[in-house]
Structure formats: C-alpha cells, structure tokens
Amino acid sequence: MPRWLPRAMVLALALFACFQLGSWAFHQLIGLLINILIAFFLALAIEPAVGRMAARGMRRGLATFLVFFAVLIAGAGFIVLLGSMLAGQIVDMVEDFPKYLDSVIRWINDTFHTELSRVEVQDSLLRSDWLRKYVQNSASGVLDISATVLGGLFKLLTIFLFSFYFAADGPRLRRAICSVLPPAKQTEVLRAWEIAVDKTGGYLYSRGLMALISGVAHYILLEILGVPYAPALAVWVGLVSQFIPTIGTYLAGALPMLIAFTVNPWYALWVLGFVVIYQQFENYVLQPKLTSKTVDIHPAVAFGSVVAGTALLGAVGALIAIPAVATLQAFLGAYVKRYAVTDDPRVHGHRLRDGRTFARVRHVLRRGRNAPAADVGGRHAGADTDDGA
C-alpha cells in the first residue's frame, strides 16, 4: 500500500463529513437565511428615505424607526379595512344564505321536477358524516393554526429586526465589508450596493405609483356599480395586482368579482371586462413609462425571473425576483462591451432581397425553356445532314 493512500482516504472521509455537516446546517438554517434575504431587500427599499432623513441631520436609527412606523401604520390600516370588509361580507352572506338556498332548490325543482324542501336539505346536511368529520378536524386543527400564526408573527419580527439593523447600520456594514477587500474590489462592492438600492427603491416606487392608479381606477368602477366596500376592495386590487407581477391583476380581481356577483351577476362581468382592459392598458401604456428609468427589464425577462424566483423561494422569490434581476442586469451592463449596430435591413426584421439570386433563378428558367427548342433544331439539322449524305 502506498504511504499516501491512508492519508488520502482520511482526507476524503473528512471532506465528506464536512460536506454532510454543511448540508445539514444549511437545511436547518434555510428559513433564517430566507428571512435575512427578505430583510436585506427591505432595508434596500427604505434606504433612500432613510438616507434623505439622515442627510438633514436626523440620526439613522430614528429615521429608520419613523419609516418602519409609517409602514406598520399603513399595513395595519389595510388589514383592518380588509378584515372589516370580509367580516361584514361574510355576515351578509350568512344572513342571505337561506334566500340563496331557496332559489337553488326552486331551480332544481323546476328543472328536474323534484320536490325538495329547504328543511330536508338542512337536516341532511346537519346529519351528514362529512360535516361531523369536518367539525372534528377543525377542532383538532385549532392548535396547528395557532402555532402557524405564532410562527408567522415570529418570522415577521425577525425580518423587521434584521431590516432595521441593516438600514440603521448601513454605513457601518459597508465599512465592515470593505475593510476585508482590496481598494479595487471596494469600489465595485460600493457600486453594486448603490445599484441595488436604486433598483429596489425604484421598483417599489413604480409599483406603489401603479398600485395607486389601479386602486383609484377600480374604486371609480366599483362606486359606479354600487358594489359595497369599494375603498377596501380598491386597496386590495391595487396592492395585489402590482406586487404579484403579470397575473396579479387577475388574482386581485377575483374578490371584487365575487362581491359584485352577490349584488348583481352582470356586475361581475363588468368587473371582469374592466380588469382585462385595464391589464392591457397597464402592460402597454402605463408600465413602460413608469419603469423605463427605474426597473428597465423586458417583460419576458420579468415574467421568467418571477417564475424562477417562485420555483426557488416560493412567494418570497416572486417578490424579490424583479429587483434582483434588475440589479444584476444593471451591474453586468457596465462590463459588457457594446458595438454600433449595422444598418443591415435584417436587424429591423426585413428579409434581405438579393437581386443576384433572382437573376440566377431567371437565367436557369430561361435555359430550361430554350433547351428543348435547341435539341429539336439539332435533331432536324442532323437528319437533313444524313439525308443529304
């Protein structure tokens, strides 16, 4: 046995053990790493506001606290409005449920010539086995729901704490990172950091402005139709439609359509038509103008980045995919050498029409037409020569 073989085997086993340990630690800490990533992008988003307040003489800690307090107030107000709207709508639907049930039973009796009654249907529902199982599962799942809610609150607290530290101690964090890098690398890191702040803040600014425009437009429609809880529904549509790209408008429009259907079924069709038309207006008119200077990426790239982010990190990846791709695109754009584009018509989508090609085709066709006549003439001449001979 060579002398190096035992050492190589020990080294291989040690590397394999370190790999397994690192993989186990990564899987155990994946939740914390995702929360830190969300906190980092949230800190980048509020960095412009904190920087402006700090430039006017305010301490960064106080400026960060005021920005987060405003965000919390806005989020709490939205949740309260949406919760009151849903609670009131659920109460109305429960009170009107007997009317809906009577109309359905009447339609079934008229269509299928049956003799059902509401009392029989209610008794059959109350005595059914699936309802008992559902009640039992719901009672046993209360603890699971409570644990999920507490876990979600803990994650939110973790994200806010990390984002507060990242925003309040941003200069100190940048100095700590640059202190372990050579001067040339420090410049690149600071430049990448600045691009990330600009793109993330610009993304949230443009999305917030489009959410405001979308909310106002849908509020006007819902008020005209007389749909209840129009302000809360408008806020819902504005936020969900903008922070879930591409398909967010259709997902956000489902709730107004459902509530409009309870008022009048035709109103739901009006809401659906308005959602489709507004989505086209936003994609081709509004969004290119607002995002041309902040998040200038192609719609196909944006959609692909959202799909990839969702596949990797779920809903979190869908939210941070676009600013991350915009930051990467802007950072790499400085290192990609670009050249002047030629005036070739094919660049503009026109096919190149070569005159020489058509001339060759015409020459071949002419030869094809003249060849039989020449052969026939040659045969006649040969025959005359033979006869003369």
Side-chain angles (χ1 to χ4, degrees):
M1 179 183 298
R3 295 181 179 180
W4 56 265
L5 185 58
R7 297 180 180 179
M9 295 176 62
V10 172
L11 180 60
L13 292 176
L15 291 176
F16 180 75
C18 291
F19 174 77
Q20 292 293 332
L21 181 61
S23 177
W24 172 81
F26 177 77
H27 285 87
Q28 293 295 323
L29 299 175
I30 186 66
L32 178 61
L33 295 177
I34 292 176
N35 292 336
I36 294 175
L37 181 63
I38 299 172
F40 179 71
F41 273 93
L42 183 59
L44 292 178
I46 66 173
E47 176 66 24
V50 174
R52 292 191 188 98
M53 297 173 71
R56 296 179 179 179
M58 186 179 296
R59 297 179 58 184
R60 288 188 65 91
L62 180 59
T64 306
F65 174 77
L66 292 178
V67 172
F68 271 111
F69 184 74
V71 172
L72 289 176
I73 291 297
F78 170 72
I79 293 174
V80 170
L81 286 176
L82 186 62
S84 62
M85 183 270 297
L86 290 177
Q89 195 64 33
I90 290 173
V91 170
D92 294 338
M93 291 179 65
V94 170
E95 292 178 353
D96 296 336
F97 180 75
K99 297 179 182 179
Y100 297 146
L101 186 59
D102 289 337
S103 62
V104 172
I105 292 175
R106 190 181 306 110
W107 179 81
I108 293 175
N109 291 334
D110 295 339
T111 304
F112 300 100
H113 304 287
T114 57
E115 296 181 356
L116 296 176
S117 64
R118 191 176 68 184
V119 177
E120 295 177 356
V121 174
Q122 290 178 351
D123 292 339
S124 62
L125 289 175
L126 293 175
R127 296 176 181 178
S128 60
D129 295 334
W130 68 268
L131 182 61
R132 296 177 183 176
K133 293 180 180 179
Y134 177 78
V135 172
Q136 293 175 358
N137 293 332
S138 299
S140 61
V142 171
L143 294 177
D144 297 336
I145 295 175
S146 301
T148 303
V149 171
L150 292 177
L153 293 176
F154 181 75
K155 288 182 179 179
L156 288 177
L157 180 61
T158 303
I159 292 171
F160 275 106
L161 285 177
F162 274 108
S163 59
F164 181 85
Y165 292 143
F166 286 151
D169 293 337
R172 185 184 303 175
L173 179 61
R174 287 189 286 270
R175 286 195 300 269
I177 295 175
C178 292
S179 63
V180 296
L181 297 174
K185 299 297 181 180
Q186 293 179 14
T187 304
E188 298 299 328
V189 169
L190 293 176
R191 182 173 174 274
W193 195 294
E194 184 178 359
I195 291 175
V197 170
D198 293 338
K199 292 301 179 179
T200 306
Y203 171 74
L204 291 182
Y205 170 76
S206 60
R207 288 293 171 179
L209 188 57
M210 286 192 293
L212 178 61
I213 298 173
S214 176
V216 171
H218 287 85
Y219 171 75
I220 294 174
L221 173 68
L222 296 175
E223 280 292 331
I224 293 174
L225 296 178
V227 177
Y229 305 102
L233 289 175
V235 174
W236 163 264
V237 173
L239 292 179
V240 175
S241 63
Q242 299 308 317
F243 291 98
I244 301 180
T246 308
I247 61 173
T249 301
Y250 303 105
L251 295 177
L255 184 59
M257 286 176 55
L258 178 61
I259 297 179
F261 183 82
T262 61
V263 179
N264 190 336
W266 289 104
Y267 289 174
L269 294 178
W270 279 100
V271 174
L272 176 61
F274 183 81
V275 167
V276 174
I277 295 174
Y278 182 82
Q279 178 69 19
Q280 305 308 314
F281 167 76
E282 180 183 288
N283 289 339
Y284 295 102
V285 179
L286 187 61
Q287 183 174 354
K289 292 182 178 181
L290 293 179
T291 60
S292 59
K293 296 182 180 181
T294 55
V295 188
D296 189 13
I297 59 177
H298 194 273
V301 177
F303 181 73
S305 63
V306 171
V307 173
T310 304
L312 293 175
L313 299 176
V316 176
L319 290 176
I320 66 176
I322 292 181
V325 171
T327 302
L328 182 62
Q329 176 180 336
F331 185 73
L332 294 179
Y335 299 96
V336 177
K337 188 176 181 180
R338 298 182 182 273
Y339 301 92
V341 180
T342 181
D343 293 333
D344 196 309
R346 289 172 290 185
V347 174
H348 305 286
H350 305 293
R351 297 185 62 185
L352 182 62
R353 299 182 180 275
D354 192 356
R356 291 175 297 179
T357 303
F358 289 103
R360 291 176 183 176
V361 172
R362 288 196 297 268
H363 180 66
V364 171
L365 293 177
R366 287 176 182 174
R367 288 183 60 185
R369 286 198 218 85
N370 297 331
D375 293 343
V376 172
R379 289 173 185 173
H380 286 301
D384 293 342
T385 304
D386 293 341
D387 292 340

